Amino acid sequence: MDPAPRIDGKADAVVSDCVYQIATGKWEPGERLPTVRVAERRWGVDRRTVMKAYAHLQARGLVVSRSRSGYFVRTGPTLERLARHRHELDSLYAKLSEEIVQETGLAPAGVFRYFAELARREKSVAFAECSRTQAAGHAREVETRLGVGCLPLVTGDLDRASRVPAGVRTLLVSTFHIGELAAALEGSNIAIHAVPIAASPDLELPRSTKEAVVLEWDATEAKNIRRDVAALRLGVSLRTKTVRETEPFLETYLQTKGRVAILAPRLFGALSDTWREHPRVLEVRFTILESAWPEIAEAIGLPLGVLG
């Protein structure tokens, strides 16, 4: 199976709706997806966005393209995994609906919407990172993508299970920090799931840049960040530097024109406002890999899953 192409927010919305229609059985195997013209009207997007979303679904194994006929829902392991709880949930919905009517006299649809809002506020999922800024960023990604509340936590604060807030059942952590967190929480009943992340492609260097240095406190993490930044192919020489006193280093390093400092999130967050606003001091942000979303949904326990 080919890797799924990266998609933007509009295409992601189309993918999410298609996944829901397929997972709930509204679109059965063999059924044709809306034509491009119908899809444009349905989701309020252009042809390019529709095709990008459909290609994403095909790469994930949920649909198949037939020459001159369009895209069709396909059977296979992806669909089976996605909809494996469907009949159980249908039966449970019927039972709960009957009980709601008997106990309250309220319309089940309105009650379930209320339940959904309560669930959104619940923070049973957390994302731990080495800096609060980065943890908050990944937590927002989870909330936006999956529609569940996610609590940001700092790995350095979680030296034992008792420091994890009550109610958190699933702890997401980047692959950089899974080892230290698994050791700290060994023996607890908290499910820890490693999440692959990569440098965000929105990192842009000034045009005058001739060389750049990646700064981190830890040598191993500095190398990992350099690898991710190098994958963005920014076209400049990259080296790493481990520092404990960041601002004195910047004061010296940036005296030479054409140099740029790329800082890990925890270093950037510790800078004074003056340095954070410096045009040649950049923060490397990280985002969750598209391919990771189905596994994250699985780890959290979302019944219909999410197709990344």
Side-chain angles (χ1 to χ4, degrees):
M1 186 183 299
D2 294 332
R6 294 186 66 87
I7 54 177
D8 55 24
K10 290 183 178 180
D12 181 58
V14 175
V15 168
S16 296
D17 191 33
C18 289
V19 170
Y20 178 79
Q21 303 300 327
I22 295 171
T24 56
K26 292 184 178 180
W27 294 350
E28 296 285 355
E31 187 170 345
R32 183 183 181 184
L33 271 62
T35 64
V36 172
R37 184 172 298 179
V38 172
E40 287 177 321
R41 293 197 300 269
R42 176 182 179 127
W43 291 296
V45 297
D46 58 24
R47 177 185 182 87
R48 184 170 174 270
T49 299
V50 173
M51 297 307 297
K52 188 182 296 185
Y54 283 3
H56 193 88
L57 291 167
Q58 181 173 359
R60 288 298 180 192
L62 272 182
V63 305
V64 61
S65 174
R66 297 177 185 168
S67 180
R68 299 185 180 181
S69 297
Y71 288 83
F72 296 80
V73 179
R74 63 170 292 185
T75 58
T78 304
L79 178 59
E80 292 171 4
R81 180 188 60 79
L82 192 64
R84 66 191 182 283
H85 297 300
R86 175 183 155 197
H87 298 299
E88 301 166 57
L89 293 175
D90 286 347
S91 176
L92 184 59
Y93 175 82
K95 293 177 182 178
L96 291 176
S97 296
E98 183 178 351
E99 186 173 345
I100 287 170
V101 172
Q102 290 178 352
E103 293 290 332
T104 68
L106 297 172
V111 173
F112 285 121
R113 281 197 294 271
Y114 176 68
F115 285 168
E117 181 56 34
L118 291 180
R120 196 181 301 273
R121 298 176 199 169
E122 182 186 8
K123 302 290 187 180
S124 61
V125 180
F127 203 112
E129 257 298 347
C130 59
S131 74
R132 186 159 297 280
T133 299
Q134 194 171 346
H138 292 320
R140 283 194 299 271
E141 286 185 88
V142 172
E143 292 184 343
T144 300
R145 188 61 174 263
L146 305 183
V148 298
C150 188
L151 187 69
L153 299 175
V154 180
T155 53
D157 296 338
L158 306 178
D159 56 352
R160 56 184 181 274
S162 61
R163 290 187 178 272
V164 179
V168 172
R169 297 190 300 272
T170 304
L171 188 58
L172 306 174
V173 59
S174 69
T175 50
F176 291 132
H177 302 291
I178 184 65
E180 64 185 88
L181 210 56
L185 305 183
E186 185 178 5
S188 72
N189 58 359
I190 300 169
I192 306 174
H193 185 77
V195 176
I197 61 176
S200 174
D202 62 5
L203 180 66
E204 293 186 7
L205 302 180
R207 291 185 177 181
S208 59
T209 303
K210 295 181 180 179
E211 72 168 63
V213 62
V214 174
L215 302 183
E216 232 292 337
W217 289 331
D218 180 83
T220 300
E221 287 202 29
K223 291 179 181 178
N224 290 334
I225 293 173
R226 182 195 176 282
R227 179 199 60 211
D228 280 6
V229 172
L232 299 178
R233 299 183 179 179
L234 300 176
V236 298
S237 171
L238 281 174
R239 65 185 183 91
T240 61
K241 176 71 175 180
T242 54
V243 295
R244 299 306 301 181
E245 299 294 332
T246 310
E247 294 190 6
F249 174 83
L250 293 175
E251 186 74 47
T252 301
Y253 180 75
L254 295 180
Q255 287 180 3
T256 301
K257 293 182 179 180
R259 288 180 172 178
V260 170
I262 301 174
L263 276 64
R266 58 181 173 182
L267 267 67
F268 189 85
L271 291 178
S272 64
D273 290 343
T274 300
W275 280 112
R276 281 202 297 267
E277 294 169 3
H278 194 290
R280 289 190 286 136
V281 175
L282 308 178
E283 177 188 20
V284 56
R285 297 191 310 105
F286 290 86
T287 56
I288 297 170
L289 293 183
E290 285 291 327
S291 59
W293 288 111
E295 291 186 12
I296 295 173
E298 182 87 11
I300 293 174
L302 297 183
L304 299 181
V306 170
L307 195 67

